Amino acid sequence: MRPRAVVAGGAGFIGFHFVSRLLNEGFDVVIVDNLATGTHRNVTDLLAGNRCEFVEHDVCQPLVVSGPVDYLVNLACPASPADFSRIPVEIMRSCSEGTYNLLEIALHKRAQFLHASTSEIYGDPEIHPQSEDYTGNVNIAGPRAVYDEGKRYAETLIHTYHRQFDMPVHIARIFNTYGPRMRPDDGRAVSNFCVQALTGQPLTIYGNGQQTRCFCYVEDLVDGLFRLMTSEHTGPFNMGSSQEISVQELAEKAIKLAGSSSQIEYLPLLHPDDPKRRRPALERIQEALGFAPTTDLDTGLQATLDWFQQVITPERA
Ligand code: NAD
Ligand code: UDP
């Protein structure tokens, strides 16, 4: 019998690539998604084969899934900082009630649980790079905390199910990930810069652009998620790239690769506690899972620019 996975959030950016990988690996897949930030296009493209079903559902509401489930994958949560003030309560509820409802399904079905946590649980980190043992620096009253604290709560709840019910669980702390299928208006740095460069608009740098991130190409990330899901390891594991770059350098790279004449515009930070530096320590996941991203930023950004070019000028698709 083929393994069967329920993927909550499967209509989103990472969800699309992860479900594609599962289908390629011979899984049957049930996508559960309320399309809050996912797209009909992703669902339509994934349903083209006959081993994928789609259930439109908000995971904050209890859900019954018929048939056997081997893996329950929780990607269901809006993830762009632009959403933190647009739909803050929905984000907290996805992390708390949503994770609880999905854990209950996994428990009932005796399924393994794979969870997408985040580097944001480290907040604005005081140590660099961030290792899994670091307990973080989250401002609980700040606007980012709906996501950061929501994800922290979710991790704790998952560890509790693991301890209480002996449930096999796998936790990935995903760092900034980019690639095709990002939404042009999702508000993250890579999507904004690519679209702005392609359309000749100024690239909007928030703050002075000296803050750093490490951007991981989505195919590399999905490989890590698949390795983790099919392993014996609980984690948590940092997952991402360790190639650190400033936001200023990222903007300049996007302009260059797009062959654009866009200028750079400096705007105030979206949130005052925007992390100043972020880089994952990857020793633990390298040792446990052999995880090693292979896509360099220029190659990944070019593929992402090609995707956005197609999306913003659909007549050329
Ligand atoms: P995304 O917004 O593209 O995907 C999230 C998906 O979850 C969407 O399809 C959305 O419609 C769905 N969703 C949201 N709330 C839901 C709800 N209540 N019920 C059902 N479906 C719901 O974002 P993404 O970048 O693909 O992120 C996927 C997961 O990975 C998220 O959990 C996110 O927190 C995590 N993550 C992503 C990144 C990144 O850089 N992309 C970094 C760290 C963690
Ligand atoms: N950023 C920016 N301009 C944008 C979007 C984002 O300067 O148009 C900055 C943002 O302030 C942060 C970094 O780029 O410092 C990465 O932002 P993103 O939203 O991609 O992810 P985050 O790491 O904040 O979750």
Side-chain angles (χ1 to χ4, degrees):
M1 263 240 300
R2 283 194 296 267
R4 187 161 183 256
V6 170
V7 182
F13 158 54
I14 294 175
F16 173 84
H17 294 277
F18 193 62
V19 172
S20 302
R21 173 71 185 262
L22 290 179
L23 293 171
N24 284 338
E25 296 282 349
F27 280 64
D28 289 337
V29 178
V30 182
I31 297 171
V32 178
D33 200 301
N34 67 352
L35 299 177
T37 51
T39 67
H40 282 285
R41 175 175 176 175
N42 286 347
V43 175
T44 309
D45 291 352
L46 290 165
L47 293 189
N50 58 4
R51 285 187 288 108
C52 190
E53 301 165 48
F54 174 57
V55 180
E56 188 166 344
H57 182 85
D58 181 342
V59 295
C60 299
Q61 305 302 323
L63 169 69
V64 176
V65 179
S66 57
V69 179
D70 302 297
Y71 296 94
L72 200 311
V73 181
N74 183 16
L75 307 175
C77 183
S80 169
D83 290 332
F84 299 170
S85 35
R86 189 177 68 87
I87 42 173
V89 175
E90 287 85 345
I91 290 174
M92 291 208 83
R93 292 189 64 202
S94 304
C95 292
S96 51
E97 292 157 67
T99 302
Y100 167 76
N101 286 327
L102 296 171
L103 280 164
E104 282 294 307
I105 298 173
L107 187 62
H108 182 66
K109 298 285 185 183
R110 298 180 189 280
Q112 302 198 32
F113 197 85
L114 172 69
H115 179 70
S117 187
T118 169
S119 55
E120 299 275 349
I121 64 124
Y122 300 124
D124 186 5
E126 301 141 306
I127 63 154
H128 191 80
Q130 295 79 53
S131 78
E132 288 87 348
D133 294 330
Y134 178 48
T135 50
N137 176 37
V138 174
N139 170 11
I140 55 172
R144 296 183 81 97
V146 292
Y147 184 71
D148 304 2
E149 290 294 345
K151 289 285 188 178
R152 289 168 69 92
Y153 172 90
E155 278 200 32
T156 304
L157 191 62
I158 293 161
H159 283 297
T160 306
Y161 270 67
H162 176 57
R163 275 194 299 268
Q164 191 84 2
F165 305 112
D166 210 18
M167 178 191 287
V169 304
H170 313 280
I171 299 174
R173 291 182 179 159
I174 301 173
F175 283 62
N176 297 67
T177 299
Y178 73 98
R181 302 270 167 176
M182 292 182 93
R183 282 182 297 116
D185 60 350
D186 93 348
R188 290 183 256 200
V190 171
S191 39
N192 277 0
F193 292 170
C194 286
V195 172
Q196 290 159 345
L198 288 170
T199 55
Q201 300 170 68
L203 273 69
T204 51
I205 288 187
Y206 304 151
N208 62 12
Q210 295 313 301
Q211 65 271 42
T212 67
R213 297 290 187 272
C214 299
F215 294 95
C216 184
Y217 191 60
V218 66
E219 291 295 342
D220 289 330
L221 189 276
V222 157
D223 185 58
L225 287 177
F226 187 75
R227 283 173 191 245
L228 176 57
M229 184 183 90
T230 52
S231 79
E232 307 266 291
H233 294 282
T234 294
F237 288 113
N238 289 338
M239 211 178 269
S241 159
S242 55
Q243 264 191 295
E244 192 173 349
I245 182 174
S246 72
V247 167
Q248 174 83 31
E249 289 170 308
L250 178 72
E252 286 165 359
K253 209 179 252 306
I255 290 173
K256 188 166 167 225
L257 287 170
S260 170
S261 54
S262 288
Q263 302 296 304
I264 288 178
E265 177 181 22
Y266 294 88
L267 298 174
L269 285 173
L270 211 54
H271 301 120
D273 36 16
D274 191 295
K276 288 179 268 307
R277 290 189 79 186
R278 181 186 287 159
R279 174 154 62 91
L282 293 176
E283 289 78 8
R284 197 171 288 183
I285 191 170
Q286 272 159 1
E287 190 171 328
L289 300 174
F291 172 74
T294 55
T295 311
D296 68 66
L297 189 55
D298 281 26
T299 308
L301 270 182
Q302 192 59 64
T304 310
L305 282 161
D306 292 347
W307 156 258
F308 281 121
Q309 182 72 69
Q310 196 198 99
V311 172
I312 59 184
T313 51
E315 66 278 9
R316 289 193 211 160

